[in-house]
Amino acid sequence: MGMRVRGLVGGLGVLAFALVAWVVSSMVLGTYLRHDQQRAEATLQLTMQALDGHLRRFQAVPDLLADDPGLRALIGGSRRADQVAAINRWLEGRNVLLESSEIYVMDATGLTIAASNHDARDSFVGQDFSFRPYFTEAMNGGRGRFYALGTTSGVRGYYFASAVYDRGGRAAGVIAVKVDLDAIEAEWRRQSEAILVTDPEGVVFLSTEPEWLYQGFLPLTPDRLARTAALRRYAGMTVGALAHERSTLQGLAVLHLSNADGRRSYLQAKALMPLAGWTVQVLMETGSARAQARLASAAVLLGLGIAVGALVIWAQRRFRLAERIAAQEHAKAELERRVEMRTADLARMNAQIQDEVAERRATEAALRRTQADLVQAGKLAALGQMSAALSHEINQPLAAARNYADSAAILIDRGETAKARENVGQIVALIDRMAAIAQHLRNVARKPDAPLKTVDLAAAVAEALALAEPRLAKITVAVDLPADLPGVLGGPVRLQQVLGNVLSNAADALEDRVFPRIEIAARVEGDRVLLDIRDFGPGVAAAIADRIYDPFFTTKRVGSGLGLGLSISYNIMKDFGGDLRVANHPQGGAVFTLVLRVARARGMAAE
Ligand code: ADP
């Protein structure tokens, strides 16, 4: 993911979070607000009932008291001082019994003639209450009711009044009961909700918040102010306007008011109290609902955060797992691919190798064919060479023998028999030479399977040197053989022949040397005995080294070598299970080495 995409996702996440927070908080707020609204309504009901009950207790009291004969006598009579005093005491007693604020009696002009507080400093006695609506209402035969701040006492009260009739049935005065409301208000202040009561002009006269008292909710029109002033409802207090605003929250009406602590918002439950014409209001602060909503949304957000965190971790784990699996699969696929590649490579190489093998076989076959051809050609060449050598070897003595025979015939005709006999002797010698050549040729067609025997090498060397004596006459021969040479496998006559050939070749090589010398030495290597025959001749030229064993190969003049010596010798050595090697000595001359097998059991034998 790129940084920008990440940022975008993050931004969207925050936005979604904020949206959820807002929705949750407003839902919770709505719930709490409705709950508080219900509580306010319930409180309102209770408050109304309590207030109504409190006032209702005194509703019939003036009627009952007005019926008192003493009072009627006083009102309708001369109002003697003792009568007034008695009524004063009576009123005082009733007031204590009824737990009302004050009870007092006015004459038809509104002048107070007797009162429960007759002996108090601010007694009502002597006061004129004709301006109060309850007085006029009562004088007119109705039940006077009024709420006001006492002009004399300054104590808020609710006034119930009834006319007192004289014996003639005329309304001669009014008895009024003032009910104290301060106690009720004090009671309300113990509650959490704010409670206030407004009069028909919208002015607050009971309130749990002192700041709101004697303030008008309704616009204070001059009309209203005039009416309030005329009734002297709030005595000397100035009535002001209560600063307030209205709005709605979650579909509920909210009232914004200021008190000593500042501006506050309230849910409002209000109802009209028909008995007094008042409006009772219960105000429930929205603060706690808001706080609870905040708490709830914070809790939800926290939960959501944890859930999202857990989800993210889970998702990450899953992602990593998937990644790992993918990586493993990739690695597996890669491995398989490599194996396949390798297999293909191997197959290709195999095919290549097979091709090469086939090629090599073909080459080999071709080589063999060529070799066979060459052998054939070599054979033909050798045959040619041999034919030339043989024809020379045979033709020369034949021609010579013929000359001798012709001469012998002439000499016999002349009778010179001695000379003729000499010629015949020459002819016999030539025939012997040709027989020797034939003998040589027979050796080429040797019998290789002749059984091997144990041969004493030192004896064989000594014999060979003795046989070659005529050819070695001018040559120094140094023999150095160990005393304990083991017997070797071979045939004595054939070994003799090999030694003769090699010595004869050495003598040929030393032909024009000033100090001709041959060295013969032997050594044992494992189960072999190696016999070196070194000459101090020119050595074997590298160019011909691998051809000197070929039959009929010779570098010697026609007539002096048949090229069969080494060929025969090599084959004899092979027949012995040994070898014939040639090398050039570092200090010059050729070294022919006869390799012979050591015989296991010693035994004397002759071929
Ligand atoms: P020939 O002696 O009839 O030539 P060989 O088979 O005995 O036939 O020898 C083959 C050839 O090997 C000789 O012609 C000569 O060139 C070479 N050769 C043999 N022995 C020696 C030697 N001791 N020194 C140099 N050349 C040698």
Side-chain angles (χ1 to χ4, degrees):
M1 254 198 289
M3 286 300 284
R4 287 180 60 184
V5 177
R6 240 174 231 262
L8 199 69
V9 168
L12 280 175
V14 168
L15 216 69
F17 225 60
L19 192 73
V20 168
W22 179 76
V23 166
V24 166
S25 85
S26 66
M27 268 167 59
V28 173
L29 183 62
T31 309
Y32 277 109
L33 284 176
R34 273 186 289 283
H35 178 251
D36 280 1
Q37 180 74 44
Q38 279 170 3
R39 256 179 60 197
E41 302 285 353
T43 308
L44 176 68
Q45 289 308 312
L46 290 172
T47 307
M48 293 255 297
Q49 275 167 20
L51 190 57
D52 196 55
H54 185 68
L55 295 179
R56 238 171 248 284
R57 272 172 53 207
F58 300 95
Q59 200 173 338
V61 169
D63 275 352
L64 288 170
L65 294 179
D67 230 16
D68 183 75
L71 182 62
R72 292 178 68 174
L74 177 76
I75 286 289
S78 52
R79 301 175 196 171
R80 290 193 319 267
D82 62 319
Q83 275 182 314
V84 171
I87 289 302
N88 270 339
R89 276 198 303 280
W90 176 71
L91 287 175
E92 196 180 342
R94 297 297 107 162
N95 191 40
V96 170
L97 266 177
L98 292 165
E99 294 178 6
S100 47
S101 180
E102 304 295 348
I103 306 174
Y104 50 101
V105 177
M106 290 147 285
D107 66 9
T109 65
L111 188 73
T112 307
I113 52 176
S116 55
N117 60 357
H118 57 92
D119 53 358
R121 207 165 48 80
D122 51 354
S123 167
F124 292 170
V125 176
Q127 300 279 335
D128 181 0
F129 293 122
S130 59
F131 62 91
R132 295 290 205 195
Y134 62 82
F135 173 76
T136 27
E137 279 166 22
M139 282 299 287
N140 292 337
R143 281 180 169 169
R145 274 174 207 166
F146 189 61
Y147 163 77
L149 193 63
T151 43
T152 318
S153 60
V155 173
R156 282 168 298 176
Y158 192 80
Y159 302 84
F160 292 96
S162 286
V164 182
Y165 299 97
D166 62 12
R167 284 197 185 99
R170 279 174 295 124
V174 169
I175 179 164
V177 176
K178 184 184 176 185
V179 178
D180 184 12
L181 296 174
D182 285 9
I184 286 183
E185 196 190 57
E187 183 94 13
W188 290 347
R189 286 200 174 137
R190 285 204 287 271
Q191 300 189 2
S192 59
E193 300 91 345
I195 300 171
L196 54 87
V197 182
T198 55
D199 70 9
E201 309 296 347
V203 176
V204 179
F205 66 87
L206 284 177
S207 168
T208 48
E209 301 290 334
E211 296 83 22
W212 299 340
L213 274 177
Y214 314 117
Q215 313 266 357
F217 259 110
L218 301 172
L220 291 171
T221 55
D223 209 30
R224 285 207 172 103
L225 286 171
R227 265 206 302 272
T228 306
L231 300 172
R232 290 211 230 160
R233 197 193 292 269
Y234 301 117
M237 303 292 276
T238 37
V239 172
L242 182 61
H244 68 280
E245 277 171 46
R246 287 176 198 283
S247 67
T248 54
L249 179 62
Q250 299 278 330
L252 296 169
V254 175
L255 185 66
H256 306 280
L257 285 174
S258 295
N259 66 1
D261 305 333
R263 192 168 180 274
R264 293 199 177 173
S265 301
Y266 298 93
L267 288 169
Q268 190 182 30
K270 64 178 177 179
L272 190 72
M273 215 172 84
L275 181 67
W278 299 340
T279 303
V280 180
Q281 299 191 14
V282 172
L283 300 180
M284 183 77 77
E285 260 201 87
T286 57
S288 80
R290 282 180 202 276
Q292 266 162 319
R294 273 198 296 275
L295 200 72
S297 52
V300 165
L301 280 185
L302 192 73
L304 204 70
I306 290 169
V308 166
L311 204 75
V312 165
I313 289 168
W314 177 78
Q316 258 177 356
R317 287 232 175 116
R318 265 199 69 137
F319 180 69
R320 287 215 190 106
L321 193 73
E323 246 181 3
R324 215 163 41 227
I325 288 170
Q328 275 169 1
E329 241 143 57
H330 180 77
K332 214 173 100 182
E334 177 66 24
L335 198 72
E336 270 168 19
R337 197 178 63 79
R338 278 197 198 155
V339 165
E340 258 167 42
M341 256 168 59
R342 257 304 144 78
T343 310
D345 277 356
L346 283 175
R348 213 172 22 250
M349 265 160 66
N350 213 6
Q352 213 171 319
I353 286 168
Q354 269 171 0
D355 283 355
E356 271 171 25
V357 166
E359 209 175 309
R360 210 159 279 179
R361 272 195 194 133
T363 313
E364 215 176 82
L367 198 70
R368 244 184 231 140
R369 258 196 316 279
T370 314
Q371 225 169 24
D373 289 352
L374 276 176
V375 167
Q376 193 60 30
K379 275 182 183 166
L380 288 174
L383 198 64
Q385 233 171 9
M386 186 182 75
S387 302
L390 270 182
S391 67
H392 176 86
E393 290 289 324
I394 293 168
N395 279 341
Q396 200 216 5
L398 272 181
R402 194 193 160 93
N403 281 339
Y404 282 125
D406 284 347
S407 302
I410 292 166
L411 287 170
I412 289 169
D413 285 347
R414 284 188 198 160
E416 295 178 41
T417 44
K419 282 186 177 177
R421 180 164 293 276
E422 207 175 299
N423 276 12
V424 170
Q426 290 293 342
I427 289 167
V428 168
L430 287 168
I431 287 168
D432 283 348
R433 189 175 158 193
M434 283 188 285
I437 290 168
Q439 175 69 34
H440 237 321
L441 283 174
R442 218 180 48 228
N443 278 340
V444 177
R446 72 203 185 283
K447 11 186 239 298
D449 329 320
L452 296 182
K453 295 170 182 163
T454 303
V455 181
D456 182 353
L457 191 55
V461 169
E463 208 169 322
L465 287 173
L467 279 174
E469 179 58 45
R471 293 226 51 200
L472 304 173
K474 292 176 193 160
I475 298 168
T476 314
V477 179
V479 181
D480 176 21
L481 299 176
D484 57 346
L485 264 184
V488 294
L489 281 180
V493 176
R494 283 180 284 171
L495 185 57
Q496 210 45 249
Q497 200 177 340
V498 173
L499 287 168
N501 279 333
V502 173
L503 285 171
S504 160
N505 280 341
D508 286 344
L510 292 170
E511 211 154 54
D512 50 359
R513 298 282 141 161
V514 185
F515 301 107
R517 181 182 168 86
I518 293 172
E519 289 178 356
I520 298 171
R523 64 188 190 277
V524 180
E525 275 182 13
D527 59 348
R528 309 270 147 171
V529 175
L530 280 70
L531 182 76
D532 291 328
I533 299 171
R534 182 192 172 189
D535 63 57
F536 286 76
V540 180
I544 58 158
D546 54 348
R547 290 171 61 201
I548 57 172
Y549 298 115
D550 287 352
F552 302 109
F553 175 82
T554 179
T555 56
K556 293 165 192 172
R557 308 177 262 105
V558 170
S560 62
L562 269 178
L564 286 172
L566 286 182
S567 167
I568 290 165
S569 300
Y570 181 83
N571 285 314
I572 289 171
M573 290 313 288
K574 286 286 170 190
D575 290 342
F576 290 170
D579 200 3
L580 179 61
R581 297 173 192 160
V582 66
N584 285 319
H585 197 278
Q587 271 105 51
V591 182
F592 280 84
T593 305
L594 280 68
V595 181
L596 289 152
R597 286 190 291 161
V598 172
R600 300 238 170 262
R602 253 184 188 282
M604 290 309 291
E607 197 172 45

